[in-house]
Amino acid sequence: GILMSVSAFSVDIMLPSFAAIVNDLGAPYGSVQWTIAIYMFMAGLAQIVWGPLSDRIGRRPVLAAGLLIYLSGVALSALAPSIFWLLAGRALQGFGGAAAIVMARAIMRDLFSGQELARNLALVTAIFAVGPIFAPLVGAAIAAPFGWRAIFGALTLFALGLLSVLVFMPETIRQKVPEAIAPRVLGSRLVRMVVHPQSRRFLIVSAVSMAGMLLILTAAPRIYDAE
């Protein structure tokens, strides 16, 4: 559940600090809004990479690599001297954070099936839902006394905590797939995902809902600032 909430927490924790970032970096408000969009874009795109890679080499090394890339993006964002470097850091965060999104579901699928999988996914989703609720409050509580850059210090501790848990987590994949990252296999899996009616409908619904969520997340801080 915490792994699944990495991206939601990383996005929402920044929302109260948009105005401060605009003033500090001297960047247009629209450019600061891109810190949300670029994170979500990279988090979506990178899932195509992390999933097959974990089938090939295992869940633990892929999750570790993703969290380390995420940490490098957090560091870059914290030290960003301009909006360009902040966006670059957010892109790295999204790319690395996508590993947590994929591995959370893959590990669940490795460990459970049937009704047991459904029950545990419901529990995981309940934990995930807490992240977007508390993240803006945590972001505001940190940024008010310490500044917006301190938010990335909190995200660093968050990622380090996940890495420390990973040390004690066993590998969950039962059988690795050596050809998982072969272009032929990747292509056939993508085609199957698009062709399957249930999968295709889910993709359409998800695309519409995520587009609406992105519009709300990027626009809400400016509305609140105007008020």
Side-chain angles (χ1 to χ4, degrees), residues 3-227:
L3 282 176
M4 281 183 62
S5 67
V6 166
S7 286
F9 197 83
S10 300
V11 167
D12 293 351
I13 198 172
M14 286 193 64
L15 299 181
S17 299
F18 274 22
I21 297 172
V22 168
N23 294 331
D24 187 30
L25 298 182
Y29 208 105
S31 297
V32 177
Q33 289 175 309
W34 269 97
T35 59
I36 303 299
I38 198 168
Y39 183 103
M40 296 182 71
F41 175 78
M42 291 301 295
L45 184 65
Q47 292 182 49
I48 301 174
V49 177
W50 293 123
L53 195 60
S54 73
D55 289 340
R56 173 67 177 82
I57 65 176
R59 314 301 190 208
R60 293 181 76 249
V62 165
L63 182 54
L67 289 174
L68 289 173
I69 293 174
Y70 176 87
L71 276 171
S72 67
V74 168
L76 181 58
S77 299
L79 302 173
S82 67
I83 188 62
F84 171 81
W85 290 108
L86 178 58
L87 291 174
R90 293 292 287 173
L92 275 178
Q93 287 178 56
F95 189 89
I101 301 173
V102 176
M103 292 308 102
R105 292 173 171 84
I107 290 170
M108 292 289 292
R109 186 63 184 85
D110 291 340
L111 297 175
F112 308 107
S113 61
Q115 291 297 319
E116 191 177 13
L117 175 61
R119 285 193 300 270
N120 282 282
L121 278 175
L123 176 61
V124 166
T125 304
I127 297 172
F128 160 79
V130 174
I133 297 173
F134 288 101
L137 302 176
V138 173
I142 294 173
F146 303 112
W148 65 270
R149 295 179 189 271
I151 289 174
F152 296 104
L155 292 178
T156 298
L157 295 176
F158 186 40
L160 288 175
L162 290 174
L163 280 170
S164 66
V165 173
L166 182 60
V167 173
F168 303 99
M169 189 190 84
E171 178 59 65
T172 60
I173 189 171
R174 295 181 178 86
Q175 184 175 0
K176 297 175 183 176
V177 184
E179 68 275 12
I181 57 176
R184 173 183 54 82
V185 175
L186 288 174
S188 65
R189 287 180 173 181
L190 286 173
V191 169
R192 186 174 61 181
M193 179 181 68
V194 174
V195 170
H196 194 285
Q198 182 179 359
S199 176
R200 186 169 62 249
R201 288 192 293 268
F202 178 79
L203 286 172
I204 294 171
V205 172
S206 296
V208 174
S209 61
M210 289 302 295
M213 184 185 301
L214 180 60
L215 289 172
I216 293 171
L217 290 174
T218 55
R222 190 161 198 171
I223 295 172
Y224 291 140
D225 291 338
E227 293 295 332

